[in-house]
Amino acid sequence: MKAQTKENPYLLSKQINSSKNDKEKIKLYLRLGEYYVTKAGEEKKDLDSAAICNKEAQKLSLKTGDQLNLGKVMLLDAKIDKDKENGILLFLK
């Protein structure tokens, strides 16, 4: 069982839209992506949302040359893939 992060997705989205700092946006996108991955009652659309957030974090990390956050992007990508795979396995049972 996964522990859900105590994040407010609406507040995080608002902070992303208002932030002018790319490094701050990366952190916010990663937090929002992590929220969707650990959300209780996670559905396919949540994993899709997590993947979108992660892709945005990846683009900004590449743009800024932020290697640490690129590593965090890779980790979140692995969590998303694992959850997608688990969802497929549950569907097949």
Side-chain angles (χ1 to χ4, degrees):
M1 186 171 179
K2 296 181 283 184
Q4 182 178 0
T5 57
K6 305 256 189 246
E7 297 285 4
N8 180 333
Y10 304 106
L11 180 59
L12 287 173
S13 294
K14 190 174 179 180
Q15 289 173 328
I16 289 167
N17 291 331
S18 66
S19 179
K20 303 285 186 231
N21 183 312
D22 285 344
K23 290 206 178 234
E24 183 64 26
K25 279 187 175 186
I26 294 167
K27 290 178 187 176
L28 293 167
Y29 274 122
L30 289 171
R31 284 173 53 193
L32 186 56
E34 187 71 31
Y35 164 80
Y36 283 118
V37 169
T38 59
K39 181 179 171 192
E42 172 187 287
E43 298 177 9
K44 181 188 179 309
K45 67 180 180 175
D46 297 320
L47 293 176
D48 291 343
S49 295
I52 290 167
C53 292
N54 204 36
K55 191 68 169 171
E56 291 302 317
Q58 180 184 36
K59 285 182 203 174
L60 290 171
S61 295
L62 289 169
K63 176 183 167 188
T64 60
D66 188 336
Q67 296 298 311
L68 177 62
N69 280 319
L70 274 174
K72 291 178 182 180
V73 164
M74 291 171 64
L75 179 61
L76 185 55
D77 219 18
K79 290 179 182 180
I80 294 167
D81 286 346
K82 180 182 175 217
D83 282 4
K84 283 184 178 180
E85 186 176 298
N86 286 343
I88 290 170
L89 291 176
L90 288 174
F91 178 74
L92 293 175
K93 286 185 177 183

